[in-house]
Amino acid sequence: MPDASDGRRLVTSDTFVSFADVSVTYGSGAGRVPALENISLDFAAGDFVCVVGPSGCGKTTLMQALAGFLKPSTGTVSIDGRPVDGPGVDRGVVFQQPALFPWLTVAGNAGFGPMLRGESRRDRAGTVEDHLRMVGLWDFRDRYPYELSGGMQQRLAIVRALVNKPKILLMDEPFGALDALTREKMQEELHAVWRRTGMTVLLITHSVEEAVYLGTDVVVMSPRPGRIIERIAAPFARRESAGCSRDTKSLPAFVALRERVLSLIWQTAGT
Ligand SMILES: Nc1ncnc2c1ncn2[C@@H]1O[C@H](COP(=O)(O)OP(=O)(O)O)[C@@H](O)[C@H]1O
Ligand SMILES: [Mg+2]
C-alpha cells in the first residue's frame, strides 16, 4: 500500500529500488561534468533491468549511485524505502574488469566475502563448492586468477558477488571483453541464477541484443548529461521455456524490439 504518513515520498508497494530525481555532477568550475540529470527510475524486487546508452552517458555513474560508491549531487537513491548512504552486503557488484585477489586461489577468492562475514569454515566450504560448481569452476578451485581465461575470471567475479546472497546484483558491462560464444554461455548462466534466486538485477551493457534478451526492462539513456529516454518492458526474460538462445534471438518479435531500441539510441546520438 502507498504510505506517505511518515513524510517520505509516496512509494507503492512494489517499488524496491528508486532513483528519485537523481543528478550527479563531477568536478567544479570549468571542469564541471554533468553526468546524470534528473533520473527518476523505479523498479520492483525481481526485476532484471538492463541499461543501454552511448559511452559516457552516465551508466557507470548510475550504478555507482545505487552501489553507494558515490552520493548524488541532488535527489535520492533508495532501496526498500531507505536512502542509500554507502555500500552494503545487500548489493553485489561486478565490474567490467574482474576484481579478484591475485594472491588467493579460486576457492579463496570465492570464500573471501563469507569469511569476512564470519561464516563458519564448514558453511563457507559448502557455499563455495555450490557456487563454483554452478559456474563450472569447481575443477579449478586450487588455481590462481592468472591461470584462468578472461571468461573464467569473470565467472569467478560473479561468484564473488553471488556468495554474499545479495538482494541486488549490479553488473557493469560484465561480458564486454568476452568472445561471442563465452558471452552467450554467460548470459544463460546469469539468466538461470536470476530465475532460481529471484534476485533483482541491474545490468549495464553495450549490447542491445543482450539487454533485450535478458532484461524484464530495458532502459535507454541519452548522451551526456545522461537522461532516461525510454523504459521498455521486454517479454523474453520471463518466457516459459529456456530453450535455445539463438531461437529466441531470431524471433520476429525479438528482432523488432532490438531494432526499436537501436533506433532510439541512434536517434538520440544525433547521427
Ligand atoms: N570520477 C570522475 N570525475 C570526472 N568525470 C567523470 C568521473 N567519472 C565519470 N566522469 C564523466 O562522467 C560522464 C559519465 O561517465 P560514466 O558514468 O562512466 O559513463 P558510461 O559508463 O555511460 O560510459 C563521462 O563524461 C565521464 O567522463
Ligand atoms: Mg561505464
Side-chain angles (χ1 to χ4, degrees), residues 54-61 96 172-173 204 206:
S55 280
C57 75
K59 303 181 295 298
T60 295
T61 303
Q96 194 168 359
D172 194 355
E173 300 183 24
I204 294 168
H206 266 305

Side-chain angles (χ1 to χ4, degrees), residues 166-234:
K167 289 194 190 130
I168 308 173
L169 182 64
L170 305 170
M171 309 179 93
D172 194 355
E173 300 183 24
F175 310 143
L178 305 181
D179 65 86
L181 184 61
T182 309
R183 186 173 188 135
E184 298 226 340
K185 283 191 188 152
M186 295 287 290
Q187 289 173 359
E188 293 310 311
E189 282 170 14
L190 175 61
H191 195 246
V193 171
W194 170 72
R195 276 193 306 197
R196 197 171 55 245
T197 59
M199 241 175 357
T200 307
V201 180
L202 181 75
L203 172 80
I204 294 168
T205 176
H206 266 305
S207 164
V208 170
E209 182 180 87
E210 185 166 281
V212 171
Y213 182 64
L214 291 176
T216 57
D217 296 84
V218 179
V219 172
V220 183
M221 289 180 63
S222 70
R224 211 178 68 207
R227 296 193 201 96
I228 292 175
I229 302 172
E230 202 159 322
R231 174 203 188 135
I232 301 170

Side-chain angles (χ1 to χ4, degrees), residues 120-160:
S120 75
R121 189 180 286 266
R122 223 180 65 201
D123 288 351
R124 209 158 74 215
T127 307
V128 166
E129 179 169 349
D130 289 349
H131 283 82
L132 290 181
R133 284 192 187 283
M134 182 178 76
V135 301
L137 285 177
W138 179 241
D139 290 345
F140 297 86
R141 59 192 175 280
D142 297 325
R143 303 288 186 87
Y144 286 86
Y146 75 88
E147 298 178 278
L148 306 179
S149 70
M152 291 158 89
Q153 290 184 8
Q154 197 54 281
R155 274 184 271 163
L156 181 55
I158 293 170
V159 163
R160 282 195 47 168

